[in-house]
Amino acid sequence: MPLFFVTALVTQFLINRRQVEQDAAAQEAIKKIKAAGAELEKKFRDEYEVSTEEAILRLQTLGENMFLTAITAISAQLPPDYDAE
């Protein structure tokens, strides 16, 4: 019985140690992502004079407009009786 208890404690220690290492790695990754985001925000403001949020909104609007233009162009190519049953 004591051997089982010691084995369980050692196993739990190793699992906890691995979790702590993974948490530290995750925190480091989060720091790097935040730094990259801040750098990207600065670049957008310097080069395009807009925030990243504004750039995303503009790209979404552009994408929607391009999608509607594509649908209209494709629809114009359909024969007149395309939707007739």
Side-chain angles (χ1 to χ4, degrees):
M1 181 80 156
L3 181 61
F4 175 75
F5 182 70
V6 170
T7 303
L9 281 176
V10 169
T11 303
Q12 187 62 36
F13 172 77
L14 293 174
I15 290 171
N16 285 342
R17 182 174 170 212
R18 181 183 297 169
Q19 184 64 43
V20 167
E21 290 171 355
Q22 289 175 347
D23 288 348
Q27 290 298 323
E28 185 65 28
I30 289 170
K31 283 182 191 178
K32 288 179 180 179
I33 290 169
K34 285 183 178 181
E39 187 176 319
L40 182 62
E41 177 74 26
K42 183 182 180 311
K43 183 176 182 176
F44 269 105
R45 287 194 185 277
D46 291 347
E47 290 186 21
Y48 306 109
E49 298 178 357
V50 295
S51 67
T52 51
E53 291 84 11
E54 178 66 23
I56 289 169
L57 287 173
R58 289 181 185 184
L59 288 171
Q60 286 174 337
T61 301
L62 178 64
E64 290 171 5
N65 289 340
M66 289 178 67
F67 179 72
L68 290 174
T69 302
I71 293 295
T72 303
I74 291 170
S75 297
Q77 300 297 317
L78 296 175
D81 60 346
Y82 173 74
D83 58 353
E85 292 183 36

